[in-house]
Structures are given as structure tokens and as C-alpha cells.
Amino acid sequence: MKIFALYNIKGGVGKTTSAVNLAWLSARDGANTLVWDLDPQGAATYCFRVKPKIKGGRKGLVRGKSDLDDLIKGTDYDNLDLLPADFSYRNMDIELSDTKKPERRFQKLLEPLADEYDHIFLDCPPGLTLSAESVFGAADVLLMPMIPATLSMRTTDQIEQFLKQEKVKHLQRLYFYTMVDRRKKLHRELLDRRSKAFLETIIPYASAAEQMAVYREPVFVYAPRSLPALAYEALWREVRERV
Amino acid sequence: MIDTLLAFALPPELTADGLKSRLAAYVALQMRPPQPIERIYYDTFDWRLAKAGLALEQDLSGARASWRLYELATGDDVALLDAPTNSPFPGDGYAPFFSDALPPGELATVIKPLAAIRALLPLAHVAGTVTMLRVFNKDVKTVARVAVEDTHLVGSQTPLPTVARLLPVRGYDRRLDEVRLLMASMPDLQPSPNDPMVFATEAAGHVPGDYSSGLRIVLDPAERADEATRTIYRTLFEAMQRNEPGVRGDIDSEFLHDFRVSVRRTRSALSQITGVLPEAQVEHFKTEFGWLGQMTGPTRDLDVYLLQFDDFRADLPEYMRDRLDPLRDHLLHRQREEQAGLVRALDTTRYAKLRREWPRFLNKPTPARDTPENAAVPVGELASRQILRAYHRVVRQAAAVTADSPAEDVHEVRKSAKKLRYLLEFYSSLYPAEDLKTLVVELRQVQDILGEYQDLQVQIESLEGYAAEMQAAGDVPAATLMAIGALTGQLYSRELEVRQELMPILSRFTRPKLRRRFEATFDPPPPHSPDDDEPKDAESQPSTETENA
């Protein structure tokens, strides 16, 4: 089992779009795949047309009292399941701080799923929080989408510094640019200055990607030959080669 | 029942479209265009996969043939394998194949120990279309699927019933139940096997799990001995007939093994169950089944050597092992010859006559005049008498064996032990299973050691015979002859060891405590005629067969 965390400190950089589309590709290739929507806003859950859990806070989930198995929903696609968002995730940091070894908490929760799934994609909420730390503890690969902007570069430094400080060594880092507009000089310049942790593939800015929330389907379903579809296909191939 | 029912057979006039219209009155649905499907289901003749709760499906619907091993109860995948349809494995006319042919991987890892020496046979080959109906909710999220399968058996254009199969979507059990209840309430839909393998193989005339090489005969202790004896013979004859096509086709060596075991059991019964069916005919069939047993012997012997070949190799020092290769070639060549001879024997009028006359004899009522003396005796009574008699014979012979006894005396014990074992199998339904089990465990120890002793002797003799054959045919490397010599030497020293080991096992079987157990289980009522059961040991021809019973 490989666990991929789609994460960035910042919001609106394409985490959900990437999680949904990469998971779809993984499932299409025959791997049993799970998306865990950790963002209380539930964008991935919405894209898969599953209802988020609204009622009754799920304190039990983080404490491990609840069986993840019962919460998993099948999506419309073969080999692809979803652990839907839960509105109570907004309190996750508070709950985690009450548990022993919070940084190991997710790992413990995910262990029982190892038999069933080949790939798990964690769609993480933004922010450098306790839950982010717990995600880093559980994941094998940190997939970080970012928009080409000078400020974004600071983000990678922050993450690297944080991981160093927390002594997280096992985590493979793969960064990639999303919403790239090659007409912009800055975008082109930043692409040229990528470090080794960056993937070659870029996800171009395209309306097809934006429409995912309208169609509520992975881009491959409603626009299989669009630029983002081709780009995600290439990105997934590159990730498979690097991991 | 309703909780687990997931498949319904549709009446002939109801199409996928029709089912969709019916369901659409209650749930939101979308229909996808029909997709071609083609699948072949495999299992061994004795259903080793199904008995382990598994099914093996080859999906030929796409450009590549994918193999799927799944759990029958849940439909969950156990192992998957993609292989190009045109690869030599196995797509070659959907022929039977051995699990050794599977490429290394998870599929092979699970199947090999299960199938072992048995071939995987294509049991059903279905093709047609599947039309997927998607049941969705307010958010147009799929909450269940109904796969409508229109198929026929390949090679026959008669369509199979159209089956609507409910496919759950995880986490939407309640919606699945709604659709299930909806379909169950439609009076013209019939329950169909949930599993596609069960559906397809049943359509092809197989019943999953309906063959086992073990003997299962259910008798009533009060029924007449002639009726019960016929039941035993019929069961054995049925096993022979079921195995015959596999014997002729030499699909795997177990067909002939099981065929021979049935022949041997029949001969053993003919010689032991006396005074029950008309004597003259019994004598005739004894001769005929004796002939049949002989006809099948040489092929079986060669099968056994080929199956054991790797063990033979392992018995030799490593540098010698490859030198046995010409022996393997010779055995393979001889096996093909003998197999052809066996098929010729099965094509004779003599065999055809036996196959015709034997069931006719079994269906004939016992003559009212000159009724054989034991015909009307309750089988429970007769069985106990026969078993005890056979047991005492084993004990008598075993007690007489000393360290210096000739090998023939030891073989006599082996044959008697086997006869006793067969009686215990024929009549197992008449006695408490637990009591029999203990006695059979004791008996099996005797049989195992005596069988090994016999096998070693026969093997040495046969290997020397094959070496002579190879030499006569010329062209055999001296190193090979020496390797065979080294091998027989190994086997001979093992034979001497076994001869030492068998003494305490034989004497253990004669102990009084075990006799009391036998007598307690088969405590016979007073015999109605003191002279009727003198042992008639008719199985007198020397047994040169190697058995892996």
C-alpha cells in the first residue's frame, strides 16, 4: 500500500482536482484505490456525488473508536472508493491534541486498510497544523501542487524546514505546478528554476479543470481528451516512475 | 434467502430495456449500451477450487485475456493476471492445462497447491452481451448496478436465460436492498445462482462440487444385502463412467487413478461379498473386472514414476541428477505407448460388453428360486460379519510375519488390509463415524508402511526393467545406467529400513485392545449358518501395481 498526501499550506492550488484525477487514473490501472477527503469543506466528496457527514461530530474517528470500513463509499468507478468528508473534521486538531502521539494517529487508522487498497490518496485541508503533521507521519509520498508564484516558492522552503525540524525522514516529496499559464513570463521563469523535487509535468490552466465541480466527475469522464486530462495522465505516469 | 439473493432469471420476453422500464417506475435509472462479454470458467474435475471457495474466470471480452481468481461467497478478487489472448498460455483452444503453466505470480501461488497434479478444465464457455443499468440517487450518484447478461454457451446457439445480476456499490446497502425487494416482488423473475461461475457451469451440465474421489455410500442397516450390494456396485460403476472420458483423453493422471480404484473396489467387493448375488454371474464379472484392472495397470505404473520423478532425482547426489533425463524421456515414451494400448482396450467389444452387461445385471431383481443364501440378510448384519472376518484375517497373517518371513507373506497382509479397508469404506454409513475413524487411523498406519514396502520392491524391479529396455533399444549413456543403478541402490537401502520399521507396526495392529474395539464396533449377531462364510480369497493374481491409495 502506498499513501499519497495531496497537500499544500495554501488553499485553492488544485489539491482536490489532483487527488480526484490521480485516484481515478490509479483505479483505471487496476489498483484498488481509496480517496480520503480530509478537508471539512468536502470538495472531493462533492465531486464524487457522495453526501458528506454533517450530523453528529465524529470524535470517534480520530480516536479510533469508529471503524473506517463502515464509512467507506463506493464511487461510480471500478476499484475507486471514497472516505467522505466529515464536517466535524474542522475540529480535528483539537481532538488530535487530546490523543497520545498525534503524529502517529493517521498511520494507525490506515493500517487496517493495507490489505484492501493499493493506493490511498489523502486530500488534505490547507494549513501547517497538527493534522498536517499526522498526515506526514502516515503518508509515503507528499504530492504538493502549487501555483507558479514567487510566494509559492516560500511554501516549499517552509515545508522542508518543518519536515527537517520534526525529523520526518521517510516522506518522499514530489512537487508540481498547477494552473500554469505559459503566456505569463513569470510562469515561464519559475518553470526554469525548478528544483529536483519538482515533477516535469505541469498542469496547465484550463477551463476543463475548473468545470470538475460543475460536472461532479473526474475530468476523464466529461472531457477525456482535454489538456488537463492529458496532463494528469502524464503526471501520473511520472509519479509512478518516481515512486 | 431474500437477504442474499443477488441474481434473477428473466422470462424470455423480458429484455434489458423492458426491465429498465419496469424498474424506472420506482427508481432513477440509466442504461448503458450493451457490451460484449466472453468468459471461460475453469476448475479441476474434482472441483478443488470450488471446494476451497474459489472460482477461476478467464475474461476474453477485451483485447487481452484477463484471469481472475475470486471468492465464491463474496465475489472479491483473490488474484488477477493479464495475458495476451494469443499467448501460448493458455488461449490454445481453451484446452485443459496444469497450474505449472501459470506464469509466476499471485495467481500461480494460490492455485498451484490447490490444483496440484490435477488439470484445470474449461467447464463452461459463455459469450454474449451485458447491459449495465445504473441506479442512481438525487445527486445522480450510482448507488447500485444491475447487469443484464444475455449469454449462450459457446458452441451452442441456444440462449441461456437472461440474468439480471445486482452489483452492490459499497456503502449503499439499503439502496441495494430496495432494488432487490423490488425485483423479488416481480412474480415472473426467478431466483438464479448469484455466482456467474455456478450459473455457467450448471448451464453446461456440471454441478459444482459433485465429484470427489472419496466414496460416499449411504446404506440402511435394515435393507436387504442384495439391494445394498447393488448400491455399492452402482456407485463404483458411476465413478468409473465419470472418469472414463478423462482416462481416454489422458487429461491428468488422477482420472485413471480414480478409475482403477473403482475397478479394484469392485473386484474386492465381488470376492468378499459372497452369497448375495447369483454366484455364476459374480464369477464372470470377477474375471472381466480382473481383466480391466490388468489393462489399466501399466499406464498407471508409468504415471506414478513420472509423478515421482522429481523425488527420484532428489534421491541422487546433485551431480548425477541430470543423468536421469534419458530415463524420463523413456518413461514418457512408454507412457504414451501404454496409454494408446489402454485406449485400445477400452475400445474392444469385451469392454463394451462389460459396460453394457454390468448395469443390466445390477438392475435385475434377485431370482426368487435359488436365491443366494445371504441375499435377504439385513446388510447391517452381513457387513459386520464380513468386516470382522476380514479383520481377523489381517491379524492372523500379521501375527505370522517374522523378521525372516518372505516378502510374499508381507504382501498377503497388505492385500488383506486393503480388503478390510474397502469393506470399511463400503459400509461406513452403517457405523458411528467416530468409532470408524479411530479404527481406520490404525489400519491406515499398517497400509502405509506395507504400501511403501511393496512400492519400493516394485520400483526397483521396474527401474531395472526400464534400464534393460533402454539398453536393448541402444543409445543409452553409461552414466544414465549408472545413475539408475545408484537410484535402485538408494531404494533398496530404504526397503531394508522399511522392513525393520514395519514389524512393530504389524504387531501393534494385533494387540488385544484393538481387537476389543473392533469387536465392540462390529459385534455380530449369531451367524444364521455356520459355514456360509469361509474366506474365499479370489484375488490371487500377483499385484504388481504401485498404488498411491
Side-chain angles (χ1 to χ4, degrees), chain A residues 111-174:
Chain A
E111 262 167 24
L113 299 176
D115 278 348
E116 199 173 346
Y117 294 103
D118 304 309
H119 295 147
I120 295 181
F121 291 84
L122 305 174
D123 186 15
C124 309
L128 205 50
T129 57
L130 200 50
S131 48
E133 201 180 325
S134 192
V135 162
F136 296 154
D140 301 296
V141 184
L142 171 63
L143 277 172
M144 188 155 80
M146 57 181 89
I147 298 170
T150 323
L151 272 177
S152 311
M153 296 305 288
R154 262 176 49 86
T155 314
T156 61
D157 296 344
Q158 279 175 308
I159 294 282
E160 293 293 345
Q161 221 172 19
F162 178 80
L163 293 175
K164 200 170 167 186
Q165 176 194 319
E166 297 297 320
K167 299 191 175 73
V168 179
K169 288 190 183 130
H170 69 278
L171 190 64
Q172 185 180 5
R173 273 86 95 178
L174 295 175

Side-chain angles (χ1 to χ4, degrees), chain A residues 11 30 33 45 52 56 67 93 106 123 139 150-151 173 178 182 186 238:
Chain A
T33 307
T45 304
D67 194 357
D93 270 351
F106 274 96
D123 186 15
T150 323
L151 272 177
R173 273 86 95 178
T178 56
R182 283 187 177 275
L186 176 67
E238 211 187 339

Side-chain angles (χ1 to χ4, degrees), chain B residues 391-449:
Chain B
Y391 162 72
H392 285 306
R393 185 165 57 224
V394 177
V395 169
R396 199 166 57 239
Q397 292 172 345
V401 171
T402 65
D404 303 323
S405 301
E408 289 73 30
D409 290 3
V410 180
H411 296 328
E412 286 307 314
V413 189
R414 185 185 64 83
K415 285 199 275 182
S416 301
K418 179 163 276 184
K419 285 180 180 175
L420 171 58
R421 177 69 175 278
Y422 286 160
L423 289 177
L424 293 175
E425 286 172 352
F426 299 152
Y427 297 131
S428 66
S429 64
L430 302 174
Y431 305 97
E434 273 309 301
D435 295 0
L436 275 190
K437 207 173 143 189
T438 347
L439 300 175
V440 168
V441 167
E442 296 274 353
L443 180 59
R444 196 187 292 147
Q445 285 172 1
V446 172
Q447 284 192 284
D448 285 350
I449 193 84

Side-chain angles (χ1 to χ4, degrees), chain B residues 201-265:
Chain B
T201 53
E202 283 184 357
H206 303 287
V207 181
D210 73 341
Y211 181 82
S212 155
S213 54
L215 202 54
R216 274 169 301 184
I217 303 175
V218 180
L219 302 174
D220 172 0
E223 76 182 297
R224 283 168 58 111
D226 53 358
E227 284 308 321
T229 306
R230 288 192 186 100
T231 303
I232 294 169
Y233 287 136
R234 277 193 206 105
T235 310
L236 295 170
F237 186 59
E238 196 201 312
M240 280 172 56
Q241 289 201 298
R242 292 204 54 186
N243 280 289
E244 192 185 312
V247 171
R248 287 173 175 273
D250 197 14
I251 293 169
D252 67 40
S253 58
E254 287 301 285
F255 287 100
L256 179 58
H257 173 262
D258 286 6
F259 184 86
R260 271 175 63 75
V261 169
S262 295
V263 171
R264 222 169 29 232
R265 282 173 174 154

Side-chain angles (χ1 to χ4, degrees), chain A residues 48-51 69 72-77 81 116-117 216, chain B residues 77 80 134 137-143 145 169-172:
Chain A
F48 285 118
R49 307 177 185 222
V50 174
K51 287 193 186 67
D69 226 36
I72 293 173
K73 297 281 187 190
T75 68
D76 286 13
Y77 315 103
D81 290 346
E116 199 173 346
Y117 294 103
R216 302 181 72 181
Chain B
D77 295 345
L80 299 167
R134 223 158 58 83
N137 63 11
K138 285 201 300 286
D139 296 318
V140 202
K141 162 83 182 77
T142 309
V143 290
R145 290 184 180 86
V169 174
R170 185 166 180 173
Y172 295 92

